[in-house]
Amino acid sequence: MKSILTLITLSAALSGAAGATTYPLTITDDLGRKVTLKAEPKRIVSVLPSTTETVCALGLCDRLVGVDDYSDFPQQVTKLPKVGGLYNPNIEAMVALKPDVVLVSQYGKLAEPLTQAGVTVIAVNPETYDEVFTKTALLGKILNREAQARNLVAKIKGDIARVEILTKNAVRKPTAYFEIDPTPYSIGPNSFMGVLLTKAGARNIIPASMGDFPKVDPEFIVKANPQLILGVDAKTAGARPGWSGISALKTGKVKDIPAELNTMLGRPGPRLGQALMGLAKLIHPELFR
């Protein structure tokens, strides 16, 4: 037994060593640019809430020196300097923080002006369900926390699996329309939110052919006649032309999303399992009594 334990310990030690990042590190980011980090980043600016949460989940909250206006979790980041949002970035504030790296979305056009100002910029922007895990691993590599990233991915997948075990037992899985914006925008089945909706035990009325986050014709929703409507309150839904005849309204299956859960559902990051749990409780409360 002692020899087996020794081998396990040695294996773990070697695994950790193999996970250490070697710098200079060159990666291809989500803008298709080759970016080289000369050394392990010690001063980090994050301009994406999900990335902020991942950096902290990797144990590096104390290396964040600035975040975007919407990063609010964990509570620790609310005290950091704010550097604007996607449409109103404060580039001067980012440069003034003297970051070793700025982690940005592929949107927002920050890479060029920041690079011209001499700042290293990397776009890391998970959009699909699988990318939540691959981008977490990439951040682990960039920040020299590869082992922690593997553990984080395993934890998220474990949290999700525990919910799936419960929803698998659902007798009925309702057809569902999930509204993320009243214009209205919804979620396709291949988006990370669409995958969560399916795992929570519902059947998305939006076909994959409409894209990941499509703007939907309200007439399409009326014709699809979903058994469940999420993301809008009953009064609002009932006031829309033709919607009062939808099955979900007739049976009282129209549910707004609580603010905290809505925030988690919109962030492809480390709280994905918690978001799935909250969504599953909304769809199948009978499984959680």
Side-chain angles (χ1 to χ4, degrees):
M1 177 62 76
K2 184 177 179 181
S3 60
I4 292 174
L5 289 174
T6 301
L7 284 172
I8 291 173
T9 303
L10 180 60
S11 175
L14 289 172
S15 175
T21 300
T22 301
Y23 299 91
L25 170 70
T26 299
I27 60 120
T28 301
D29 75 355
D30 285 350
L31 289 169
R33 305 173 312 131
K34 287 193 178 298
V35 183
T36 298
L37 279 165
K38 295 178 181 176
E40 182 177 335
K42 299 295 176 64
R43 295 177 62 82
I44 304 165
V45 170
S46 168
V47 192
L48 200 61
S50 59
T51 298
T52 300
E53 293 192 20
T54 301
V55 170
C56 286
L58 294 175
L60 296 175
C61 231
D62 60 346
R63 291 193 183 180
L64 286 168
V65 294
V67 293
D68 67 285
D69 289 351
Y70 301 99
S71 286
D72 58 4
F73 187 89
Q75 201 272 337
Q76 183 178 344
V77 306
T78 62
K79 300 174 183 174
L80 292 171
K82 301 294 185 182
V83 295
L86 182 64
Y87 300 110
N88 63 333
N90 189 335
I91 292 173
E92 287 185 359
M94 296 181 205
V95 175
L97 291 169
K98 299 180 180 178
D100 296 323
V101 66
V102 179
L103 301 171
V104 303
S105 157
Q106 60 183 295
Y107 309 105
K109 299 180 180 178
L110 283 173
E112 185 175 342
L114 284 171
T115 302
Q116 287 179 350
V119 176
T120 300
V121 183
I122 298 179
V124 184
N125 190 174
E127 291 191 329
T128 68
Y129 176 77
D130 289 338
E131 282 179 349
V132 173
F133 308 112
T134 58
K135 304 300 181 184
T136 295
L138 178 60
L139 281 170
K141 187 172 187 64
I142 291 168
L143 303 175
N144 193 19
R145 290 296 182 276
E146 290 190 80
Q148 290 86 344
R150 285 195 295 272
N151 291 338
L152 179 57
V153 166
K155 181 183 183 305
I156 299 169
K157 288 184 174 180
D159 291 343
I160 290 170
R162 279 189 284 278
V163 179
E164 283 188 284
I165 289 171
L166 293 171
T167 57
K168 194 176 180 181
N169 295 323
V171 176
R172 294 180 181 176
K173 296 187 177 181
T175 56
Y177 165 65
F178 193 138
E179 185 168 292
I180 57 172
D181 181 281
T183 35
Y185 277 89
S186 187
I187 55 175
N190 293 329
S191 66
F192 75 92
M193 292 180 71
V195 172
L196 291 185
L197 181 61
T198 301
K199 289 180 180 297
R203 292 176 287 152
N204 195 345
I205 64 166
I206 304 297
S209 59
M210 290 177 68
D212 286 346
F213 296 99
K215 186 172 184 176
V216 185
D217 182 345
E219 275 298 310
F220 169 86
I221 301 163
V222 173
K223 290 178 181 176
N225 193 28
Q227 297 165 325
L228 173 67
I229 293 177
L230 297 167
V232 59
D233 64 81
K235 183 179 178 182
T236 302
R240 293 174 178 174
W243 281 45
S244 60
I246 293 177
S247 176
L249 279 106
K250 288 181 176 177
T251 58
K253 299 292 184 183
V254 180
K255 302 183 180 184
D256 206 356
I257 307 286
E260 185 178 2
L261 175 58
N262 198 44
T263 297
M264 283 196 290
L265 283 167
R267 294 181 182 178
R271 292 192 289 168
L272 215 58
Q274 294 176 58
L276 175 59
M277 175 68 84
L279 189 58
K281 286 181 177 179
L282 273 182
I283 298 172
H284 291 291
E286 76 279 3
L287 299 176
F288 298 90
R289 289 171 183 160

